[in-house]
């Protein structure tokens, strides 16, 4: 979501959303000290039924890595297996502030895969060597850090986070306490995996914004800083949808999902598109997988705000107009899996109660100007029961429309927005075809305080608006819980 410079300055001055002093810090800190060779802590992506990628980054001297792993037994870790060593790495640069200006640090990204896994809980460690011919490995987690664990049991619960990866405003730590708390609760919430509704890394999803374990600064290490994604990412495989922030190849490089995308004939790679006569490279992410009798879709409904006057129109033309590759794939997959109830994760919301002047709801998805079937109708008519969006920096749950419930989870850590409570405003909007009320519950926050729709409790602190969503899958049901940065469930519904 795009925020004005004036509003950012007002929020920072008020100290209500991101300042360390505004929200109590309860977030977990990784126990022990990582090896000095480790630049980015491990985080999981691309989990399939029998494999998962372990992503991490090191300093330059590490030129070869492997993973030691094994099944846990009675809580005990035994890393009796090892992957083949790999020397395949990709170098990136993190720029961070210093007293004399700025400096750079090189990080080297690795993404080895653990394969041939069965149902059970696994533990793992990272090992690296400083010579490609050496048989001596260094424990990259360090001697005092416990082996991370993750489950390969059939998944029935997942966490949802959107619009996150933003630092605080208070030097020297620039800690975003709310975001740290949200991720900490995600890590301990009993989920099997995570999805993101888009916009990871503010303001523009660069390597510096993602950052590393060692460096801090405004807009530096907002994702991979030690209090953020390392806390949950080591155990929760992430399936992220792209957003308009960081809509670049960096997203594709840092969130590899090619294996899971391949299982549905989808895509998780960079795509080249021509917009206004200019060739641009962007993330093409659209794929699906099954979990506990549900089919879950990760889709691209976003476009960068940079260089275009109407990103919603460009997104529609590239991704959703009749004949577009993503739409064609989605239509075929929805049809092929007609009997399964479905959940869709994508960035742009179709309806939003966010205040006027902020990012608007995407009418191209509900009423396309070319007269074709709307994306909303395409989803609802193919048994999509739950639509998860981001973009609006609020929490919102909408009433069912043709059997589909929409939840906006955009309060993962970035500056919050208020909801429009004015007479005739977005809190009271209706569905154009049925006349029924759209919003069931919504809450937001600005420097002026809390706001809520339709008689919901008005939040008294930003901590009550920052949140993640937990979805528990049953046989034909999905329980949705919104959990704020204090760890309190403040909204719940069951979709069936």
């Amino acid at each position: 979501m795009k925020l004005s410079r004036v509003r950012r300055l007002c929020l920072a001055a008020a100290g209500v959303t991101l300042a360390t002093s505004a929200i109590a810090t309860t977030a977990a800190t990784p126990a022990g000290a990582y090896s000095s060779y480790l630049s980015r802590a491990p985080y999981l992506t691309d989990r399939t039924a029998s494999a998962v990628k372990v992503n991490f980054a090191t300093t330059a001297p590490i030129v070869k890595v492997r993973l030691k792993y094994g099944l846990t037994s009675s809580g005990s870790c035994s890393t009796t297996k090892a992957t083949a060593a790999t020397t395949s790495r990709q170098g990136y640069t993190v720029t961070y502030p210093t007293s004399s200006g700025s400096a750079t640090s090189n990080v080297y990204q690795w993404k080895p895969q653990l394969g041939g896994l069965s149902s059970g809980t696994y533990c793992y460690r990272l090992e690296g060597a400083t010579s490609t011919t050496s048989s001596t490995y260094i424990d990259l987690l360090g001697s005092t850090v416990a082996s991370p664990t993750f489950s390969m049991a059939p998944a029935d619960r997942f966490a949802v986070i959107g619009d996150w990866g933003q630092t605080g405003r208070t030097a020297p730590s620039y800690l975003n306490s709310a975001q740290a708390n949200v991720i900490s609760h995600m890590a301990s919430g009993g989920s099997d995996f995570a999805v993101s509704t888009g916009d990871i890394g503010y303001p523009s999803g660069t390597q510096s914004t993602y950052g590393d374990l060692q460096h801090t600064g405004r807009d530096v290490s907002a994702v991979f800083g030690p209090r953020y994604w390392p806390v949950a990412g080591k155990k929760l495989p992430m399936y992220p949808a792209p957003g308009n922030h960081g809509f670049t190849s960096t997203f594709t490089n840092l969130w590899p999902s090619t294996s899971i995308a391949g299982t549905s004939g989808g895509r998780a790679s960079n795509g080249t598109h021509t917009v206004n006569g200019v060739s641009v490279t962007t993330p093409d992410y659209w794929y699906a997988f099954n979990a506990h009798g549900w089919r879950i879709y990760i889709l691209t409904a976003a476009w960068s705000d940079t260089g275009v006057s109407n990103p919603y129109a460009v997104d529609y033309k590239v991704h959703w107009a009749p004949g577009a590759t993503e739409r064609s794939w989605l239509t075929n997959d929805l049809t092929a899996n007609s009997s399964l109830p479905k959940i869709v994760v994508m960035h742009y919301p179709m309806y939003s109660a966010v205040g006027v002047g902020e990012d608007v709801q995407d009418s191209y998805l509900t009423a396309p100007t070319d007269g074709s079937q709307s994306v909303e109708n395409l989803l609802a008519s193919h048994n999509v029961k739950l639509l998860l969006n981001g973009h609006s920096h609020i929490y919102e749950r909408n009433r069912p429309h043709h059997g589909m419930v929409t939840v906006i989870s955009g309060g993962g850590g970035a500056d919050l927005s208020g909801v429009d409570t004015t007479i005739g405003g977005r809190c009271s909007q209706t569905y154009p075809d049925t006349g029924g009320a759209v919003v069931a519950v919504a809450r937001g926050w600005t420097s002026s305080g809390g706001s809520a729709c339709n008689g919901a409790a008005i939040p008294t602190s930003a901590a009550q608006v920052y949140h993640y969503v937990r979805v528990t899958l049953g046989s034909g049901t999905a329980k949705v819980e919104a959990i704020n940065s204090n760890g309190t469930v403040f909204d719940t519904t069951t979709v069936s």
Side-chain angles (χ1 to χ4, degrees):
M1 178 175 178
K2 184 177 180 181
L3 298 175
S4 70
R5 176 175 173 79
V6 171
R7 183 166 174 272
R8 287 183 183 277
L9 292 174
C10 289
L11 287 170
V16 293
T17 59
L18 292 175
T20 303
S21 60
I23 300 172
T25 302
T26 61
T29 302
Y34 292 117
S35 161
S36 60
Y37 290 106
L38 192 67
S39 298
R40 288 172 175 168
Y43 63 100
L44 307 179
T45 64
D46 207 14
R47 177 190 156 175
T48 65
S50 60
V52 68
K53 283 189 175 69
V54 181
N55 308 266
F56 58 96
T58 64
T59 56
I62 300 299
V63 295
K64 181 174 67 172
V65 302
R66 70 179 183 183
L67 302 175
K68 297 291 291 296
Y69 68 102
L71 284 165
T72 62
S73 176
S74 302
S76 176
C77 173
S78 179
T79 55
T80 57
K81 299 181 180 180
T83 62
T86 178
T87 59
S88 177
R89 65 180 190 174
Q90 180 66 50
Y92 302 114
T93 299
V94 172
T95 301
Y96 58 94
T98 67
S99 58
S100 58
S102 64
T104 59
S105 174
N106 293 326
V107 300
Y108 295 86
Q109 192 83 10
W110 305 82
K111 48 184 178 182
Q113 179 171 278
L114 292 175
L117 306 179
S118 59
S119 180
T121 299
Y122 285 83
C123 59
Y124 65 95
R125 298 195 74 79
L126 324 176
E127 294 187 335
T130 56
S131 168
T132 58
T133 60
S134 176
S135 59
T136 301
Y137 284 87
I138 300 164
D139 186 337
L140 297 175
L141 292 179
S143 60
T144 62
V145 174
S147 299
T149 62
F150 64 93
S151 174
M152 288 297 292
D156 63 2
R157 176 180 284 181
F158 65 94
V160 185
I161 185 172
D163 300 85
W164 60 288
Q166 182 171 310
T167 63
R169 298 293 184 259
T170 305
S173 69
Y174 293 95
L175 176 66
N176 183 340
S177 301
Q179 177 175 284
N181 291 341
V182 167
I183 293 173
S184 178
H185 291 304
M186 286 178 65
S188 61
S191 294
D192 301 305
F193 62 91
V195 303
S196 177
T197 58
D199 278 3
I200 304 174
Y202 282 76
S204 54
T206 64
Q207 290 290 340
S208 298
T209 300
Y210 276 93
D212 57 28
L213 293 166
Q214 289 80 23
H215 300 102
T216 59
R218 180 159 178 167
D219 302 329
V220 176
S221 301
V223 178
F224 295 140
R227 297 289 291 275
Y228 304 137
W229 196 239
V231 176
K234 63 187 177 184
K235 63 183 294 186
L236 297 182
M238 169 63 88
Y239 303 98
N244 54 298
H245 287 265
F247 196 65
T248 67
S249 59
T250 298
F251 179 92
T252 311
N253 295 337
L254 295 182
W255 302 105
S257 305
T258 52
S259 297
I260 190 65
T263 64
S264 61
R267 184 178 296 180
S269 59
N270 291 321
T272 301
H273 306 280
T274 301
V275 177
N276 298 330
V278 178
S279 179
V280 293
T281 299
T282 65
D284 281 355
Y285 271 54
W286 48 84
Y287 59 86
F289 57 92
N290 293 346
H292 204 74
W294 288 73
R295 191 145 180 90
I296 299 175
Y297 290 82
I298 307 296
L299 302 178
T300 298
W303 197 265
S304 174
D305 299 337
T306 303
V308 297
S309 59
N310 188 342
Y312 302 101
V314 177
D315 167 59
Y316 180 78
K317 178 181 178 181
V318 172
H319 300 128
W320 300 111
T325 304
E326 180 176 9
R327 181 174 184 137
S328 297
W329 170 85
L330 176 61
T331 302
N332 291 336
D333 197 273
L334 289 169
T335 302
N337 295 277
S338 59
S339 63
L340 293 178
K342 301 173 181 70
I343 297 171
V344 166
V345 182
M346 65 188 200
H347 188 56
Y348 284 158
M350 299 178 184
Y351 304 95
S352 172
V354 77
V356 175
E358 303 291 344
D359 279 299
V360 297
Q361 54 204 22
D362 188 353
S363 61
Y364 288 88
L365 300 177
T366 57
T369 56
D370 59 14
S372 63
Q373 181 190 29
S374 70
V375 176
E376 179 186 27
N377 183 263
L378 173 66
L379 299 180
S381 64
H382 284 86
N383 212 18
V384 175
K385 299 302 182 185
L386 178 61
L387 174 61
L388 298 168
N389 297 133
H391 198 51
S392 296
H393 293 194
I394 59 174
Y395 171 79
E396 177 175 342
R397 175 171 55 84
N398 292 336
R399 301 179 190 277
H401 190 212
H402 301 298
M404 184 170 69
V405 172
T406 297
V407 170
I408 298 177
S409 181
D415 292 331
L416 296 171
S417 299
V419 296
D420 181 9
T421 59
T422 59
I423 297 175
R426 290 194 180 127
C427 278
S428 57
Q429 66 181 313
T430 57
Y431 290 118
D433 56 345
T434 66
V438 172
V439 181
V441 61
R443 57 168 54 187
W445 185 271
T446 68
S447 57
S448 299
S451 52
C453 290
N454 302 334
I458 297 175
T460 58
S461 69
Q464 296 176 350
V465 181
Y466 284 113
H467 71 277
Y468 83 98
V469 169
R470 184 171 61 197
V471 180
T472 303
L473 303 174
S475 179
T477 64
K479 182 180 180 181
V480 180
E481 300 169 285
I483 302 170
N484 66 30
S485 64
N486 293 325
T488 303
V489 176
F490 66 88
D491 185 50
T492 184
T493 191
T494 297
V495 176
S496 61

